[in-house]
Amino acid sequence: MKQPLLYFVGCIALLLAAATGWAQNKTVVFQSDFGLKDGAVSAMKGVANTVSADLKLYDLTHEIPAYNIWEAAYRLEQTVPYWPAGTVFVSVVDPGVGTSRKSVVLKTNSGHFIVTPDNGTLTLVAASLGIAAVREIDEAVNRRKDSQQSYTFHGRDVYAYTAARLASGVITFEQVGQALPNEVVKIPYQPATLENGILKGNIAILDVQYGNVWTNISADLLNRLHPKYGDILHVTFFHLGKKVHQADAPYSQTFGAVAIGQPLSYLNSLMELSFALNQGNFADTWHIGSGSEWSVEVTVRRR
C-alpha cells in the first residue's frame, strides 16, 4: 500500500503546486540598466545563490540605457516567450527606487513570472502574454535580512531575493504578498493597426549594432496588404506626432536585394516590419529614434 499512497501524495503535491503558481524550474533571468563595470549584478546573483545554491542564474541584458523603462519593457517582450514556463525574470530599471511605486510580481498567462517595479516595465509583456495575476511584494517577509535601511538597491535586497525564493520553491506565488487587480502601469504608445490601407505602428527599438529601425507591425498585419517582394513601402516617421522623415523602401527578403547605401524594408528576426540601409545606418542617417514617442505610417505601392 505504501507505493500507491506515495504516488497519490505526489500527485496531490503536483496539483497544489500548479494551482498555487509555484515556479518549478529553479531558473532566474536578470535584466537591468546597471552595466557590468561594478559589482551590482554580481551582488544580485550572490543574494539569489544564498537563498538556494541549486538555482540556475542567467542574464537577459544589463546594457539597458540608464533609466530607459521602455527599452526594458521591449527586451522582456522580445525574450520572455523563448524561456520555459515557470522561469522567473528580474527586471530592474528603476529611476523611482525608494519612492511609492509598487514592487510586484506579474504572473503571465504563459506561466512566466516577472519581478520588477510596476513603473511601465510590464507594458508590453502584459499585453502580449496576458496577465494571470499580480501580487505586491510584502517586504516585511520578502526582503533580504538586515537590509531595511537600504533604500537605493531594491534589485539586490527585494527583487533578487524574492525571485530566488519564488524560483526555488521557498515561497509560493501567493506568499509573495497581497493580490492586486490584474492591471499594470502602462506606457502610452502607438499599437500596430491597419486602417483604410494605412499601417500605423510604434518604433519599438533600434537594432543598435546596425541602426536598423524595428517597428511593432507584425508580418500577419503587413500581409493583409498582400505585399510582394519589390513592392515599395512608403514610410513616414513621426516623433511626438511631428513628421521627421519619409522614405520609399522596397520590400525585400535580403539586404542585398538593393544597392549598397539604399533603403529597404524587411521582416526582422521577430517577424516584424523593419527598415534599413544596405550596409548603412538608417537611424543615424535620418535621425530616427525609438520608444513610446516614436511612430510610423506605412502604405504599399505596387511595382
Side-chain angles (χ1 to χ4, degrees):
M1 293 294 293
K2 287 186 177 180
Q3 287 185 341
L5 179 60
L6 288 173
Y7 177 78
F8 176 76
V9 171
C11 289
I12 294 297
L14 288 173
L15 289 172
L16 286 173
T20 55
W22 283 48
Q24 295 291 343
N25 68 8
K26 299 184 184 297
T27 301
V28 183
V29 181
F30 292 89
Q31 168 176 276
S32 75
D33 59 351
F34 297 164
L36 296 172
K37 296 182 179 68
D38 64 13
V41 172
S42 182
M44 288 197 297
K45 290 182 178 180
V47 167
N49 234 322
T50 300
V51 171
S52 173
D54 294 331
L55 291 172
K56 296 168 286 186
L57 307 179
Y58 299 94
D59 297 307
L60 194 163
T61 181
H62 297 288
E63 300 302 328
I64 300 292
Y67 318 122
N68 193 326
I69 296 169
W70 173 266
E71 186 157 330
Y74 179 82
R75 295 303 178 196
L76 284 174
E77 185 183 42
Q78 179 186 27
T79 306
V80 169
Y82 296 97
W83 287 81
T87 300
V88 178
F89 292 81
V90 176
S91 183
V92 190
V93 178
D94 193 13
V97 62
T99 67
S100 60
R101 90 287 178 267
K102 288 182 169 64
S103 296
V104 302
V105 180
L106 167 70
K107 182 181 180 181
T108 69
N109 287 337
S110 57
H112 298 91
F113 299 84
I114 304 168
V115 185
T116 186
D118 185 19
N119 58 5
T121 297
L122 297 167
T123 298
L124 299 177
V125 77
S128 60
L129 296 182
I131 301 175
V134 183
R135 290 189 172 268
E136 184 173 7
I137 297 173
D138 180 356
E139 294 187 22
V141 179
N142 294 306
R143 185 180 179 117
R144 187 176 65 87
K145 184 180 179 181
D146 299 328
S147 68
Q148 287 76 11
Q149 299 305 311
S150 175
Y151 300 102
T152 61
F153 200 175
H154 285 182
R156 176 195 64 196
D157 299 330
V158 179
Y159 302 138
Y161 183 71
T162 300
R165 283 162 62 81
L166 181 61
S168 63
V170 172
I171 59 171
T172 66
F173 179 58
E174 284 69 22
Q175 291 171 315
V176 165
Q178 69 173 342
L180 297 174
N182 281 11
E183 57 190 36
V184 295
V185 173
K186 297 178 182 177
I187 302 171
Y189 69 99
Q190 172 64 59
T193 62
L194 174 59
E195 299 175 3
N196 301 318
I198 301 174
L199 287 165
K200 295 182 180 181
N202 162 251
I203 301 178
I205 205 75
L206 301 180
D207 183 348
V208 292
Q209 182 68 18
Y210 302 105
N212 303 337
V213 176
W214 288 17
T215 78
N216 65 342
I217 298 171
S218 69
D220 289 342
L221 195 61
L222 174 64
N223 287 337
R224 288 169 58 182
L225 294 178
H226 309 291
K228 299 183 184 301
Y229 292 127
D231 285 349
I232 300 300
L233 269 58
H234 179 73
V235 55
T236 306
F237 299 90
F238 299 90
H239 182 241
L240 292 172
K242 181 179 179 181
K243 183 169 72 175
V244 173
H245 178 64
Q246 58 186 12
D248 289 328
Y251 184 47
S252 305
Q253 190 171 24
T254 65
F255 296 103
V258 302
I260 292 175
Q262 293 301 303
L264 67 136
S265 53
Y266 69 101
L267 295 175
N268 64 23
S269 59
L270 299 178
M271 300 303 290
E272 293 175 327
L273 181 62
S274 302
F275 298 90
L277 294 180
N278 184 18
Q279 297 185 37
N281 190 309
F282 195 107
D284 283 355
T285 300
W286 301 114
H287 310 292
I288 307 298
S290 65
S292 60
E293 299 173 345
W294 287 85
S295 60
V296 296
E297 293 185 1
V298 180
T299 56
V300 176
R301 296 177 180 175
R302 307 300 177 189
R303 287 182 292 181

